[in-house]
Amino acid sequence: MTQQQEAPPPPVIKTAEEIAIMREAGLIVAEALQAMREAVRPGISTLELDKIAETVIRDHGATPAFLNYAPGNHPPYPATITASINNELVHGIPSAKRILKEGDIISLDTACFHKDFVGDAAFTIGVGKIHPMAQRLIDHCEKALWAAIEASVAGNRVSDVARATEKYAHKHGYGVALEYTGHGVGRKMHESPQVPNWWPSGRRLRRNQIQHEDYMLKPGMTYAIEPMLIAGRNELAELEDGWTVVTKDKSLCAHCEHTVAITDGKPLILTLP
Ligand code: MG
């Protein structure tokens, strides 16, 4: 799940023991995502996918982290996953009425609490046979995530991670979501730092547009990176349900996410199967 703009306190540095627990949480999330990946097909409802993920999470003795989550003015979130179809970018609410069709693309995102720590991850997948341009969008979203993961090394800053996503997306002709960000993960689902998909530069920086705290990355920091790539204009709207975020021009968009831990070397990808 993404975070909206707000100013959180400094990042919490986790111990090796805490990161080991977060890896367990990440593996539960990975298993839930994999179970949904195998179930995606024309004719299945997003509520059925939700139940698949919830079953995996509860079978491990973990708790769905999205369920009843209610930040800011949002109503309590009613499900285990977010299921965002086609021009829905993030936070689509599962429903028995939302039946997947051949050619759709869907972003599936879930998180759990396990031994008081959170794992959070997402992917976008095609339903049946999809248009090559839709597949291209999904593939580049994944590659943008890997570019941002590569930038997640001690001594870099949050802005290096954000710019890695932005640079990759722009190079391939996609916009990124401006108003939603990745986020620190730990005992809470949304901690510091915010990890945007972009970083202001030039005119935007001079105008002081959306300034995030540019923390230096240190071993023990744990955060979720979540590229949100948009094929059309990056103007977004929130639907009346108080959650679902869509592109105003109805263009396709993709979202993927891993939770990572900063180390002395390469980052640990806590939600990688
Ligand atoms: Mg998230």
Side-chain angles (χ1 to χ4, degrees), residues 18 71 85 110 118 189 197 201 210 214 241 245 259:
E18 288 171 332
I85 301 170
T110 196
V118 174
M189 181 160 64
N197 283 198
S201 60
I210 313 181
D214 196 9
D241 62 22
V245 177
T259 302

Side-chain angles (χ1 to χ4, degrees), residues 1-2 66 109 120-121 181-183 185 189-190 224 226 255 257:
M1 187 173 272
T2 68
F66 294 176
D109 187 352
D120 188 2
T181 74
H183 49 91
V185 175
M189 181 160 64
H190 289 157
E226 28 193 331
H255 166 228
E257 174 179 19

